[in-house]
Amino acid sequence: MNGTDAMTKGTATGTRLAYTACTRAVSWTRERFTRAGDRLSGRLSLGDAGMTTAEYAMGTIAACAFAAALYQVITSDTVSTALESIIGKALNAQF
């Protein structure tokens, strides 16, 4: 096999792979739009598509707990000192 044959074979393989990836993307997109259209028209039931009130409550509690933990970390002396140092260096940088 000479260099031209290798280039041709490599190009054909690359083109085939690109075509396959493109075909998969189009197929995936078409399926999503079809399902969305079916849901909007009522042909497909929603099932358990949304959260219940209890799940909203648990999600809200978890978000508040995460926010409280993050606030404690950010306002700690170590992090506060580090942030002040970073900001001070940025403001005092010479151009």
Side-chain angles (χ1 to χ4, degrees):
M1 175 185 319
N2 62 24
T4 306
D5 292 339
M7 284 181 15
T8 305
K9 184 176 180 183
T11 304
T13 302
T15 304
R16 191 170 29 250
L17 289 174
Y19 176 77
T20 302
C22 184
T23 303
R24 286 181 183 157
V26 168
S27 176
W28 181 86
T29 304
R30 184 179 298 129
E31 179 183 339
R32 295 300 178 251
F33 277 110
T34 301
R35 290 182 61 81
D38 289 345
R39 281 194 189 109
L40 289 174
S41 68
R43 290 180 284 190
L44 186 65
S45 67
L46 292 175
D48 292 333
M51 290 195 305
T52 63
T53 304
E55 289 170 330
Y56 276 116
M58 293 302 292
T60 302
I61 291 170
C64 290
F66 180 73
L70 185 60
Y71 178 76
Q72 290 295 323
V73 169
I74 295 297
T75 57
S76 69
D77 290 335
T78 306
V79 174
S80 181
T81 304
L83 287 174
E84 286 177 10
S85 173
I86 291 170
I87 291 170
K89 287 178 184 176
L91 291 175
N92 294 326
Q94 295 181 6
F95 295 99

